[in-house]
Coordinates of all heavy atoms in Angstrom, one line a residue:
M1 N 38.9 -46.7 16.9 CA 37.8 -45.9 16.5 C 37.7 -45.9 15.0 O 38.6 -45.8 14.3 CB 38.1 -44.5 17.0 CG 36.9 -43.5 16.7 SD 37.3 -41.9 17.5 CE 36.8 -40.9 16.1
E2 N 36.5 -46.0 14.5 CA 36.2 -46.0 13.1 C 36.3 -44.6 12.6 O 35.9 -43.7 13.2 CB 34.8 -46.6 12.8 CG 34.6 -48.0 13.2 CD 33.2 -48.5 12.8 OE1 32.3 -47.7 12.8 OE2 33.0 -49.7 12.6
T3 N 36.9 -44.5 11.4 CA 36.9 -43.2 10.7 C 35.6 -43.1 9.8 O 34.9 -44.1 9.7 CB 38.1 -43.1 9.7 OG1 38.0 -44.1 8.8 CG2 39.4 -43.2 10.5
E4 N 35.4 -41.9 9.3 CA 34.2 -41.7 8.5 C 34.3 -42.3 7.1 O 33.3 -42.4 6.4 CB 33.9 -40.2 8.4 CG 33.4 -39.6 9.8 CD 32.2 -40.2 10.3 OE1 31.2 -40.4 9.5 OE2 32.1 -40.6 11.5
I5 N 35.5 -42.6 6.7 CA 35.8 -43.2 5.4 C 36.2 -44.6 5.5 O 36.9 -45.0 6.4 CB 36.9 -42.4 4.7 CG1 36.6 -40.9 4.6 CG2 37.2 -42.9 3.3 CD1 35.4 -40.5 3.8
L6 N 35.7 -45.5 4.6 CA 36.0 -46.9 4.6 C 37.5 -47.0 4.4 O 38.1 -46.3 3.6 CB 35.3 -47.6 3.5 CG 33.8 -47.8 3.6 CD1 33.3 -48.6 2.4 CD2 33.4 -48.4 4.9
S7 N 38.1 -48.0 5.1 CA 39.5 -48.3 4.9 C 39.7 -49.1 3.6 O 38.8 -49.5 2.9 CB 40.0 -49.2 6.1 OG 39.4 -50.5 6.0
D8 N 41.0 -49.3 3.2 CA 41.3 -50.0 2.0 C 40.7 -51.4 2.1 O 40.2 -51.9 1.1 CB 42.8 -50.1 1.8 CG 43.4 -48.7 1.3 OD1 42.7 -47.9 0.7 OD2 44.6 -48.5 1.6
D9 N 40.9 -52.1 3.2 CA 40.4 -53.5 3.3 C 38.9 -53.5 3.3 O 38.3 -54.4 2.7 CB 40.9 -54.0 4.7 CG 42.4 -54.3 4.7 OD1 43.0 -54.4 3.6 OD2 43.0 -54.3 5.8
E10 N 38.2 -52.6 3.9 CA 36.7 -52.5 3.9 C 36.2 -52.3 2.5 O 35.2 -52.9 2.0 CB 36.2 -51.5 4.8 CG 36.4 -51.8 6.3 CD 36.1 -50.6 7.2 OE1 36.4 -49.5 6.8 OE2 35.6 -50.9 8.3
L11 N 36.9 -51.4 1.7 CA 36.5 -51.1 0.4 C 36.7 -52.3 -0.5 O 35.9 -52.6 -1.4 CB 37.2 -49.9 -0.2 CG 36.7 -49.3 -1.5 CD1 35.3 -48.9 -1.4 CD2 37.6 -48.2 -1.9
A12 N 37.8 -53.0 -0.3 CA 38.0 -54.3 -1.0 C 37.0 -55.3 -0.7 O 36.5 -56.1 -1.6 CB 39.5 -54.8 -0.7
E13 N 36.6 -55.4 0.5 CA 35.6 -56.4 0.9 C 34.2 -56.0 0.3 O 33.5 -56.9 -0.1 CB 35.5 -56.4 2.4 CG 34.5 -57.5 2.9 CD 34.5 -57.5 4.5 OE1 35.4 -57.0 5.1 OE2 33.5 -58.1 5.0
L14 N 33.9 -54.7 0.3 CA 32.6 -54.3 -0.3 C 32.6 -54.6 -1.8 O 31.6 -55.1 -2.3 CB 32.5 -52.8 -0.1 CG 31.3 -52.1 -0.7 CD1 30.0 -52.6 0.0 CD2 31.4 -50.6 -0.6
T15 N 33.6 -54.2 -2.5 CA 33.6 -54.3 -4.0 C 34.1 -55.7 -4.5 O 33.7 -56.1 -5.6 CB 34.5 -53.2 -4.6 OG1 35.9 -53.4 -4.2 CG2 34.0 -51.9 -4.2
G16 N 34.9 -56.4 -3.7 CA 35.4 -57.6 -4.2 C 36.7 -57.5 -5.0 O 37.3 -58.4 -5.5
Y17 N 37.2 -56.2 -5.0 CA 38.4 -55.9 -5.8 C 39.4 -55.2 -4.9 O 39.0 -54.3 -4.2 CB 38.1 -55.1 -7.0 CG 37.2 -55.7 -8.0 CD1 35.9 -55.3 -8.1 CD2 37.7 -56.7 -8.9 CE1 35.0 -55.9 -9.0 CE2 36.8 -57.3 -9.8 CZ 35.5 -56.9 -9.9 OH 34.6 -57.5 -10.8
K18 N 40.7 -55.5 -5.1 CA 41.8 -54.7 -4.5 C 42.3 -53.6 -5.3 O 42.7 -52.5 -4.8 CB 42.9 -55.6 -4.1 CG 42.6 -56.5 -2.9 CD 43.8 -57.2 -2.4 CE 43.5 -58.0 -1.2 NZ 44.6 -58.6 -0.5
A19 N 42.2 -53.7 -6.6 CA 42.7 -52.7 -7.5 C 41.7 -51.5 -7.5 O 40.5 -51.7 -7.6 CB 42.9 -53.3 -9.0
R20 N 42.3 -50.3 -7.4 CA 41.5 -49.1 -7.3 C 40.6 -48.9 -8.6 O 39.5 -48.4 -8.5 CB 42.4 -47.9 -7.1 CG 43.0 -48.0 -5.7 CD 43.9 -46.8 -5.5 NE 44.5 -46.9 -4.1 CZ 45.3 -46.0 -3.7 NH1 45.8 -45.0 -4.4 NH2 45.8 -46.2 -2.4
G21 N 41.2 -49.2 -9.7 CA 40.4 -49.0 -11.0 C 39.2 -49.9 -11.0 O 38.1 -49.4 -11.4
W22 N 39.3 -51.1 -10.6 CA 38.1 -52.0 -10.5 C 37.1 -51.6 -9.4 O 35.9 -51.8 -9.6 CB 38.6 -53.5 -10.3 CG 39.2 -54.1 -11.5 CD1 40.5 -54.2 -11.8 CD2 38.6 -54.5 -12.7 NE1 40.8 -54.8 -13.0 CE2 39.5 -54.9 -13.6 CE3 37.2 -54.6 -13.1 CZ2 39.2 -55.4 -14.9 CZ3 36.9 -55.1 -14.3 CH2 37.9 -55.5 -15.2
Q23 N 37.7 -51.1 -8.3 CA 36.8 -50.6 -7.3 C 36.0 -49.4 -7.8 O 34.7 -49.4 -7.6 CB 37.6 -50.1 -6.1 CG 38.2 -51.2 -5.3 CD 39.1 -50.8 -4.2 OE1 39.5 -49.6 -4.1 NE2 39.5 -51.7 -3.3
R24 N 36.6 -48.5 -8.5 CA 35.9 -47.4 -9.1 C 34.8 -47.8 -10.1 O 33.7 -47.4 -10.1 CB 36.8 -46.4 -9.8 CG 37.6 -45.5 -8.8 CD 38.3 -44.4 -9.6 NE 39.3 -44.9 -10.5 CZ 40.5 -45.2 -10.2 NH1 41.0 -45.0 -8.9 NH2 41.4 -45.7 -11.1
R25 N 35.2 -48.8 -10.9 CA 34.2 -49.3 -11.9 C 33.0 -50.0 -11.2 O 31.9 -49.8 -11.6 CB 35.0 -50.4 -12.7 CG 34.1 -50.9 -13.8 CD 34.9 -51.9 -14.7 NE 34.0 -52.5 -15.6 CZ 34.4 -53.4 -16.5 NH1 35.7 -53.8 -16.6 NH2 33.6 -54.0 -17.4
W26 N 33.3 -50.8 -10.1 CA 32.2 -51.4 -9.4 C 31.3 -50.4 -8.8 O 30.1 -50.5 -8.9 CB 32.8 -52.3 -8.3 CG 31.8 -53.1 -7.5 CD1 31.5 -54.4 -7.8 CD2 31.0 -52.7 -6.4 NE1 30.6 -54.9 -6.9 CE2 30.2 -53.9 -6.0 CE3 30.9 -51.6 -5.7 CZ2 29.4 -53.8 -5.0 CZ3 30.0 -51.5 -4.6 CH2 29.2 -52.7 -4.3
L27 N 31.8 -49.3 -8.2 CA 31.0 -48.3 -7.6 C 30.2 -47.5 -8.7 O 29.0 -47.2 -8.5 CB 31.9 -47.3 -6.8 CG 32.6 -47.9 -5.6 CD1 33.7 -46.9 -5.1 CD2 31.6 -48.1 -4.5
L28 N 30.8 -47.2 -9.8 CA 30.1 -46.5 -10.8 C 29.0 -47.3 -11.4 O 27.9 -46.8 -11.7 CB 31.1 -46.0 -11.9 CG 32.1 -44.9 -11.6 CD1 33.2 -44.8 -12.6 CD2 31.3 -43.6 -11.3
E29 N 29.2 -48.6 -11.7 CA 28.2 -49.4 -12.3 C 27.0 -49.6 -11.4 O 25.9 -49.8 -11.9 CB 28.8 -50.8 -12.6 CG 29.7 -50.9 -13.7 CD 30.4 -52.2 -13.9 OE1 30.2 -53.1 -13.0 OE2 31.0 -52.4 -15.0
R30 N 27.2 -49.4 -10.1 CA 26.0 -49.5 -9.2 C 25.5 -48.2 -8.7 O 24.6 -48.1 -7.9 CB 26.5 -50.4 -8.0 CG 26.6 -51.8 -8.4 CD 27.5 -52.6 -7.5 NE 27.6 -54.0 -7.9 CZ 28.4 -54.4 -8.9 NH1 29.1 -53.6 -9.6 NH2 28.4 -55.7 -9.2
G31 N 26.0 -47.1 -9.3 CA 25.5 -45.8 -9.0 C 25.8 -45.2 -7.6 O 25.1 -44.4 -7.1
W32 N 26.9 -45.7 -7.1 CA 27.4 -45.2 -5.8 C 28.1 -43.9 -5.9 O 28.9 -43.7 -6.9 CB 28.3 -46.3 -5.1 CG 27.6 -47.5 -4.6 CD1 26.7 -48.3 -5.3 CD2 27.7 -48.0 -3.3 NE1 26.3 -49.3 -4.5 CE2 26.9 -49.2 -3.2 CE3 28.5 -47.7 -2.2 CZ2 26.8 -50.0 -2.1 CZ3 28.3 -48.5 -1.0 CH2 27.5 -49.6 -1.0
T33 N 27.9 -43.0 -5.0 CA 28.6 -41.8 -5.0 C 29.9 -41.9 -4.2 O 29.9 -42.4 -3.1 CB 27.7 -40.7 -4.3 OG1 26.5 -40.6 -5.1 CG2 28.4 -39.3 -4.3
F34 N 31.0 -41.4 -4.8 CA 32.3 -41.4 -4.1 C 33.1 -40.2 -4.6 O 32.8 -39.6 -5.6 CB 33.0 -42.7 -4.3 CG 33.4 -43.0 -5.7 CD1 34.7 -42.7 -6.2 CD2 32.5 -43.6 -6.6 CE1 35.0 -43.0 -7.5 CE2 32.8 -43.9 -7.9 CZ 34.1 -43.5 -8.3
V35 N 34.2 -39.9 -3.9 CA 35.2 -38.9 -4.4 C 36.5 -39.7 -4.4 O 36.7 -40.7 -3.8 CB 35.2 -37.7 -3.5 CG1 33.9 -36.9 -3.5 CG2 35.6 -38.1 -2.1
E36 N 37.4 -39.1 -5.2 CA 38.7 -39.7 -5.3 C 39.7 -38.9 -4.6 O 39.7 -37.7 -4.6 CB 39.1 -39.8 -6.8 CG 38.3 -40.8 -7.6 CD 38.8 -41.0 -9.0 OE1 40.1 -40.9 -9.2 OE2 38.0 -41.4 -9.8
S37 N 40.6 -39.6 -3.9 CA 41.7 -38.9 -3.2 C 42.7 -38.4 -4.3 O 42.6 -38.7 -5.5 CB 42.4 -39.8 -2.2 OG 43.1 -40.8 -2.9
R38 N 43.7 -37.7 -3.9 CA 44.7 -37.2 -4.8 C 45.4 -38.3 -5.5 O 45.8 -38.2 -6.7 CB 45.6 -36.3 -4.0 CG 46.5 -35.4 -4.9 CD 47.2 -34.4 -4.0 NE 48.0 -33.6 -4.8 CZ 48.9 -32.7 -4.4 NH1 49.0 -32.6 -3.1 NH2 49.5 -32.0 -5.2
S39 N 45.5 -39.4 -4.8 CA 46.2 -40.6 -5.4 C 45.3 -41.5 -6.2 O 45.7 -42.5 -6.7 CB 46.9 -41.4 -4.3 OG 45.9 -41.9 -3.4
G40 N 44.0 -41.1 -6.3 CA 43.1 -41.9 -7.1 C 42.3 -42.9 -6.3 O 41.6 -43.7 -6.9
R41 N 42.5 -43.0 -5.0 CA 41.7 -43.9 -4.2 C 40.3 -43.5 -4.1 O 40.0 -42.3 -3.7 CB 42.4 -44.0 -2.8 CG 41.6 -44.9 -1.9 CD 42.3 -44.9 -0.5 NE 41.7 -45.8 0.4 CZ 40.8 -45.5 1.3 NH1 40.3 -44.3 1.3 NH2 40.3 -46.4 2.1
P42 N 39.3 -44.4 -4.4 CA 37.9 -44.0 -4.1 C 37.6 -43.9 -2.6 O 37.9 -44.8 -1.9 CB 37.1 -45.1 -4.8 CG 38.1 -46.2 -5.1 CD 39.4 -45.7 -4.9
L43 N 37.0 -42.8 -2.3 CA 36.7 -42.5 -0.9 C 35.2 -42.6 -0.7 O 34.4 -41.9 -1.3 CB 37.2 -41.2 -0.4 CG 38.7 -40.9 -0.5 CD1 39.0 -39.4 -0.2 CD2 39.5 -41.8 0.3
V44 N 34.8 -43.6 0.1 CA 33.3 -43.8 0.3 C 33.0 -43.6 1.8 O 33.7 -44.2 2.7 CB 33.0 -45.3 -0.1 CG1 31.5 -45.5 0.1 CG2 33.4 -45.5 -1.5
G45 N 32.0 -42.9 2.1 CA 31.6 -42.6 3.5 C 31.0 -43.8 4.1 O 30.2 -44.5 3.5
R46 N 31.3 -44.0 5.4 CA 30.7 -45.1 6.2 C 29.2 -45.0 6.3 O 28.5 -46.0 6.1 CB 31.4 -45.1 7.5 CG 31.1 -46.3 8.4 CD 31.9 -46.4 9.6 NE 33.4 -46.4 9.3 CZ 34.1 -47.4 8.9 NH1 33.5 -48.5 8.7 NH2 35.3 -47.3 8.7
Q47 N 28.7 -43.8 6.6 CA 27.3 -43.6 6.7 C 26.5 -43.8 5.4 O 25.5 -44.4 5.4 CB 27.0 -42.2 7.3 CG 25.5 -42.0 7.7 CD 25.1 -42.9 8.9 OE1 26.0 -43.2 9.7 NE2 23.9 -43.2 8.9
Y48 N 27.2 -43.4 4.3 CA 26.6 -43.7 3.0 C 26.5 -45.1 2.7 O 25.5 -45.6 2.1 CB 27.5 -43.0 1.9 CG 27.0 -43.1 0.5 CD1 25.9 -42.4 0.1 CD2 27.6 -44.0 -0.4 CE1 25.4 -42.5 -1.2 CE2 27.1 -44.1 -1.7 CZ 26.0 -43.4 -2.1 OH 25.5 -43.5 -3.4
V49 N 27.5 -45.9 3.0 CA 27.5 -47.4 2.8 C 26.3 -48.0 3.6 O 25.6 -48.8 3.1 CB 28.8 -48.0 3.2 CG1 28.7 -49.5 3.2 CG2 29.9 -47.6 2.3
R50 N 26.1 -47.6 4.8 CA 25.0 -48.1 5.7 C 23.7 -47.8 5.0 O 22.8 -48.6 5.0 CB 25.1 -47.5 7.1 CG 26.2 -48.0 7.9 CD 26.2 -47.4 9.3 NE 27.3 -47.9 10.1 CZ 28.2 -47.1 10.7 NH1 28.0 -45.8 10.8 NH2 29.2 -47.7 11.4
M51 N 23.6 -46.6 4.5 CA 22.3 -46.1 3.8 C 22.1 -47.0 2.6 O 21.0 -47.5 2.4 CB 22.4 -44.7 3.4 CG 21.2 -44.2 2.7 SD 21.4 -42.6 1.9 CE 22.5 -43.1 0.6
K52 N 23.1 -47.2 1.8 CA 23.0 -47.9 0.5 C 22.7 -49.4 0.8 O 21.9 -50.1 0.0 CB 24.2 -47.8 -0.3 CG 24.5 -46.5 -1.0 CD 23.4 -46.2 -2.0 CE 23.9 -46.7 -3.4 NZ 23.0 -46.3 -4.5
L53 N 23.2 -50.0 1.9 CA 23.0 -51.4 2.2 C 21.7 -51.6 3.0 O 21.4 -52.7 3.3 CB 24.2 -51.9 3.0 CG 25.5 -52.0 2.2 CD1 26.6 -52.5 3.1 CD2 25.4 -52.8 0.9
G54 N 21.0 -50.5 3.3 CA 19.7 -50.6 4.0 C 19.9 -50.9 5.5 O 18.9 -51.4 6.1
V55 N 21.0 -50.6 6.1 CA 21.2 -50.7 7.5 C 20.5 -49.6 8.2 O 20.8 -48.4 7.9 CB 22.7 -50.8 7.9 CG1 22.9 -50.9 9.4 CG2 23.3 -51.9 7.2
T56 N 19.6 -49.9 9.1 CA 18.9 -48.8 9.9 C 19.5 -48.8 11.3 O 19.8 -49.9 11.9 CB 17.4 -49.1 9.9 OG1 17.2 -50.3 10.5 CG2 16.8 -49.0 8.6
L57 N 19.7 -47.7 11.8 CA 20.2 -47.5 13.1 C 19.0 -47.2 14.0 O 18.1 -46.4 13.7 CB 21.2 -46.3 13.2 CG 22.4 -46.5 12.3 CD1 23.3 -45.3 12.4 CD2 23.2 -47.7 12.7
Q58 N 19.0 -47.8 15.2 CA 17.9 -47.5 16.1 C 18.1 -46.1 16.7 O 19.1 -45.8 17.2 CB 17.9 -48.6 17.2 CG 16.8 -48.4 18.2 CD 16.8 -49.5 19.3 OE1 17.7 -50.3 19.3 NE2 15.8 -49.4 20.2
V59 N 17.0 -45.4 16.6 CA 17.1 -44.0 17.2 C 16.5 -44.0 18.6 O 15.4 -44.5 18.8 CB 16.3 -43.0 16.3 CG1 16.3 -41.7 16.9 CG2 16.8 -43.0 14.9
V60 N 17.3 -43.6 19.5 CA 16.9 -43.5 20.9 C 16.5 -42.1 21.2 O 17.3 -41.2 21.1 CB 18.1 -44.0 21.8 CG1 17.6 -43.9 23.3 CG2 18.5 -45.4 21.5
P61 N 15.2 -41.9 21.6 CA 14.8 -40.6 21.9 C 15.4 -40.1 23.2 O 15.5 -40.8 24.1 CB 13.2 -40.7 22.1 CG 13.0 -42.1 22.4 CD 14.1 -42.9 21.7
L62 N 15.9 -38.9 23.1 CA 16.5 -38.3 24.3 C 15.5 -37.5 25.1 O 14.7 -36.7 24.5 CB 17.7 -37.4 23.9 CG 18.8 -38.1 23.2 CD1 19.8 -37.0 22.7 CD2 19.5 -39.1 24.1
M63 N 15.5 -37.7 26.3 CA 14.6 -36.9 27.2 C 15.4 -35.6 27.6 O 16.6 -35.7 27.9 CB 14.3 -37.7 28.5 CG 13.5 -38.9 28.2 SD 11.8 -38.6 27.6 CE 11.1 -38.0 29.1
P64 N 14.7 -34.5 27.6 CA 15.4 -33.3 28.0 C 15.7 -33.3 29.5 O 15.0 -34.0 30.2 CB 14.4 -32.2 27.7 CG 13.0 -32.8 27.6 CD 13.3 -34.2 27.2
P65 N 16.8 -32.7 29.9 CA 17.1 -32.8 31.3 C 16.1 -32.1 32.2 O 15.5 -31.1 31.7 CB 18.5 -32.1 31.4 CG 18.5 -31.2 30.2 CD 17.7 -31.9 29.1
P66 N 15.9 -32.6 33.4 CA 14.9 -31.9 34.2 C 15.3 -30.5 34.5 O 16.5 -30.2 34.7 CB 14.8 -32.8 35.5 CG 16.1 -33.5 35.5 CD 16.5 -33.7 34.0
T67 N 14.4 -29.6 34.7 CA 14.7 -28.2 35.0 C 15.2 -28.2 36.4 O 14.6 -28.8 37.3 CB 13.5 -27.3 34.8 OG1 12.5 -27.8 35.6 CG2 13.1 -27.2 33.4
A68 N 16.3 -27.5 36.6 CA 16.9 -27.4 37.9 C 16.2 -26.3 38.8 O 15.8 -25.3 38.3 CB 18.4 -27.0 37.8
A69 N 16.0 -26.6 40.0 CA 15.4 -25.6 40.9 C 16.4 -24.6 41.2 O 17.6 -24.9 41.3 CB 14.9 -26.3 42.2
P70 N 16.0 -23.3 41.4 CA 17.0 -22.3 41.7 C 17.7 -22.6 43.0 O 17.1 -23.1 44.0 CB 16.1 -21.0 41.8 CG 14.7 -21.4 41.7 CD 14.6 -22.8 41.3
A71 N 18.9 -22.3 43.1 CA 19.8 -22.6 44.3 C 19.4 -21.7 45.4 O 19.5 -22.1 46.6 CB 21.2 -22.5 43.9
W72 N 18.9 -20.5 45.1 CA 18.6 -19.6 46.2 C 17.3 -18.9 45.9 O 17.0 -18.5 44.7 CB 19.7 -18.5 46.2 CG 19.4 -17.4 47.2 CD1 19.6 -17.5 48.6 CD2 18.9 -16.1 47.0 NE1 19.3 -16.3 49.2 CE2 18.8 -15.4 48.2 CE3 18.5 -15.5 45.8 CZ2 18.3 -14.2 48.3 CZ3 18.0 -14.2 45.9 CH2 17.9 -13.5 47.2
T73 N 16.4 -18.8 46.8 CA 15.2 -18.1 46.6 C 15.0 -17.0 47.8 O 15.4 -17.3 48.9 CB 13.9 -19.0 46.7 OG1 14.0 -19.7 47.9 CG2 13.9 -20.0 45.5
P74 N 14.6 -15.8 47.4 CA 14.5 -14.8 48.5 C 13.4 -15.1 49.4 O 12.3 -15.6 49.0 CB 14.3 -13.5 47.7 CG 13.7 -14.0 46.4 CD 14.2 -15.3 46.1
D75 N 13.5 -14.8 50.7 CA 12.5 -14.9 51.7 C 11.7 -13.6 51.8 O 12.2 -12.6 52.3 CB 13.1 -15.3 53.0 CG 12.1 -15.5 54.1 OD1 10.9 -15.6 53.8 OD2 12.4 -15.5 55.3
I76 N 10.6 -13.5 51.2 CA 9.8 -12.3 51.2 C 8.6 -12.4 52.2 O 7.7 -11.6 52.1 CB 9.2 -12.0 49.7 CG1 8.4 -13.2 49.2 CG2 10.4 -11.7 48.8 CD1 7.7 -12.9 48.0
S77 N 8.7 -13.3 53.1 CA 7.6 -13.5 54.0 C 7.5 -12.2 55.0 O 6.4 -12.0 55.5 CB 7.8 -14.7 54.9 OG 9.0 -14.7 55.6
K78 N 8.6 -11.5 55.2 CA 8.5 -10.4 56.2 C 8.4 -9.0 55.5 O 8.5 -8.0 56.1 CB 9.8 -10.4 57.0 CG 9.8 -11.7 57.8 CD 10.9 -11.7 58.8 CE 10.8 -13.1 59.5 NZ 11.6 -13.3 60.6
V79 N 8.2 -9.1 54.2 CA 8.1 -7.8 53.4 C 6.6 -7.4 53.4 O 5.7 -8.1 53.2 CB 8.6 -8.0 52.0 CG1 8.3 -6.7 51.1 CG2 10.0 -8.4 51.9
R80 N 6.4 -6.1 53.7 CA 5.0 -5.6 53.8 C 4.8 -4.7 52.6 O 5.4 -3.9 52.1 CB 4.8 -4.8 55.1 CG 4.7 -5.7 56.2 CD 4.2 -4.9 57.4 NE 4.0 -5.8 58.5 CZ 2.9 -5.9 59.1 NH1 1.9 -5.0 58.9 NH2 2.8 -6.7 60.1

């Protein structure tokens, strides 16, 4: 399962650098938003990367579930 944050390998593939300092520099020069972990690792969100790279996700419209018929209905045919 993918996490919401790019892995070290994915970030290296994106930036072309393994060193964190160069990764930060690459991100800053291109105006990318990121936060740093306590250890100084740049954390970049997966959805943010998709947005910046212009990847569009197909949106599938959801149909609302059909309304359920009541399980029990009173028989009022004999009521006067």
